[in-house]
Amino acid sequence: MAAIQAGDWMLNSFRNVAMLLTFLMIAGSNLFFDFINSYVACGLALVAAFLARLAIEWVFIERAYREMMRLHGADWQTTAGKRVQSAAAAAKASDSRK
């Protein structure tokens, strides 16, 4: 349970840092170079920050998926959020082939 909470804390920290840096980079460059209206720049910076948050989240999900594939091989597959073949079903199928 503690490992899950530590992972959640780490994911939230990375997402928040990515959002903050993206927002500061876009809004700060607009303030420095005065490209467009400040309200539009802040809106674009917020959209980019949320996209950065989603990208970080997908990176963590894909990393976990690759790790599960490495640990469990082809037996670990997902379709619509459900495990297709469990270890017990795989063992039963291999016993029936003998």
Side-chain angles (χ1 to χ4, degrees):
M1 186 76 171
I4 293 173
Q5 291 174 350
D8 289 342
W9 176 82
M10 186 172 62
L11 175 62
N12 285 334
S13 297
F14 278 125
R15 286 190 307 193
N16 291 340
V17 167
M19 287 181 70
L20 178 67
L21 291 177
T22 304
F23 182 83
L24 289 177
M25 185 174 61
I26 293 174
S29 66
N30 181 61
L31 289 174
F32 187 70
F33 294 111
D34 199 25
F35 287 130
I36 53 177
N37 187 349
S38 294
Y39 293 112
V40 175
C42 284
L44 290 175
L46 280 175
V47 169
F50 281 107
L51 289 175
R53 178 186 172 118
L54 287 175
I56 293 294
E57 188 171 342
W58 277 106
V59 165
F60 272 83
I61 290 171
E62 289 296 319
R63 180 175 176 240
Y65 181 78
R66 284 193 310 269
E67 184 68 18
M68 290 299 288
M69 287 296 291
R70 185 184 69 79
L71 291 174
H72 300 289
D75 290 339
W76 191 83
Q77 299 173 357
T78 58
T79 303
K82 296 190 306 186
R83 189 175 286 189
V84 174
Q85 184 178 17
S86 66
K92 185 177 180 181
S94 66
D95 288 342
S96 65
R97 291 181 194 153
K98 291 180 182 179

